[in-house]
Amino acid sequence: MKLFLKISYLGTAYCGYQVQPNGISIQQKLNEAAEAVFGYPCDIVGCSRTDSGVHAKMFCATVAKKSCPDLQSNVPIEKIPLAFSAYLPPDIAVYDAAWVNDDFHARYDVIEKEYLYRFYNRFVRSPFEEGRSAHVPKPLSADDVVRMDAAARTLCGTHDFSAYMAQGSSVKNTVRTITDARVTREGDCVIFRVSADGFLYNMVRILAGTLLMVGQNKLSVDDVVRITESRDRSLAGSTMPACGLYLNRVKYPTR
């Protein structure tokens, strides 16, 4: 059996999820905590590879014993989150745990992910939003947000999203299916939410930059349709900072 974990974290202090030689990663901290909990090194497989500074409200991972997938523990499953909490820093938390079969894969079994991007839209920046949103000081009106939402909805469906992929990416299949995309205002924040069966490198941050241009009257809704159809990265908006991006939900066939 493998251990299935649901995790949330603030990515500000980390070089991303995956272990890197040049900084501290989320995976490294999970590896250290798992070894402390179980008493031996473990293999941890995550559902995604979030970049430096990106956050997660719901990140999923499996824990297995190295060289032997049958992980065993005397700790009751309902107490596993507390056990991990004793060895994790305060900006990483395990909030749920369950046993899954050995053939379950945290990354390849995902059928849908939802990301959200947060714009903090107020003239004066907030210290409480530092590292947790992208500051957009020029006010976005209700009509601006409506246009952003309309542009977001044109992204739904199965398309080649090459226009919203970071240049230099080696991915060959750039077709993805977006099941939901919308923009709303929540207080001082404008939130872009998008769900899909998969995402290209920097895709959500580029989409966010493109939709912001719609809100700023630099692009129209029809322009976004043309950009998507063009597959031309140079026509889309800039890549927004990582600090506003959150992995919000991960969906599996049976979870």
Side-chain angles (χ1 to χ4, degrees):
M1 297 290 284
K2 294 179 181 177
L3 184 65
F4 176 78
L5 302 178
K6 291 182 180 179
I7 305 153
S8 57
Y9 57 80
L10 287 173
T12 307
Y14 302 96
C15 63
Y17 167 74
Q18 194 169 12
V19 170
Q20 302 286 339
N22 60 341
I24 300 173
S25 69
I26 302 294
Q27 189 179 32
Q28 175 186 332
K29 289 300 181 182
L30 290 172
N31 282 335
E32 292 170 356
E35 184 169 357
V37 170
F38 295 107
Y40 43 75
C42 297
D43 282 321
I44 296 183
V45 176
C47 65
S48 184
R49 297 176 181 175
T50 56
D51 291 337
S52 176
V54 175
H55 317 294
K57 293 189 174 185
M58 178 184 178
F59 186 94
C60 299
T62 54
V63 183
K65 186 177 181 180
K66 280 187 179 293
S67 74
C68 176
D70 192 13
L71 189 74
Q72 297 179 350
S73 173
N74 293 324
V75 180
I77 192 66
E78 66 272 12
K79 292 186 178 180
I80 288 290
L82 289 175
F84 269 84
S85 294
Y87 300 102
L88 286 170
D91 50 6
I92 305 174
V94 171
Y95 65 88
D96 194 19
W99 295 109
V100 292
N101 293 330
D102 293 339
D103 60 355
F104 180 87
H105 199 286
R107 183 179 178 189
Y108 298 132
D109 286 352
V110 173
I111 59 173
E112 185 177 87
K113 294 177 186 174
E114 180 185 70
Y115 281 90
L116 62 83
Y117 196 90
R118 300 178 76 248
F119 302 96
Y120 182 67
N121 186 219
R122 194 171 179 180
F123 180 68
V124 178
R125 63 179 179 83
S126 167
F128 302 106
E129 290 289 336
E130 183 65 27
R132 302 185 184 191
S133 63
H135 183 210
V136 178
K138 185 177 180 180
L140 294 169
S141 69
D143 288 341
D144 294 334
V145 175
V146 167
R147 287 199 317 278
M148 291 173 71
D149 182 57
R153 291 175 188 273
T154 70
L155 302 168
C156 292
T158 302
H159 306 286
D160 185 326
F161 286 101
S162 299
Y164 309 106
M165 179 177 67
Q167 291 179 334
S169 176
S170 59
V171 175
K172 294 181 179 180
N173 181 10
T174 52
V175 175
R176 299 291 186 272
T177 300
I178 289 182
T179 53
D180 188 36
R182 49 204 157 98
V183 178
T184 58
R185 177 177 282 280
E186 299 177 13
D188 289 326
C189 285
V190 174
I191 312 293
F192 167 46
R193 298 175 186 271
V194 58
S195 302
D197 59 355
F199 294 90
L200 304 173
Y201 186 52
N202 282 349
M203 179 173 162
V204 180
R205 291 163 61 187
I206 296 169
L207 287 172
T210 305
L211 295 177
L212 179 60
M213 291 182 70
V214 174
Q216 294 171 333
N217 283 306
K218 297 176 181 178
L219 290 174
S220 69
V221 174
D222 289 340
D223 287 335
V224 174
V225 174
R226 285 191 285 270
I227 290 169
T228 303
E229 292 174 346
S230 76
R231 307 177 187 178
D232 186 347
R233 171 67 187 95
S234 67
L235 299 179
S238 61
T239 304
M240 295 299 295
C243 62
L245 183 61
Y246 295 73
L247 177 56
N248 194 52
R249 182 176 57 85
V250 183
K251 185 177 179 181
Y252 295 93
T254 57
R255 304 203 149 264

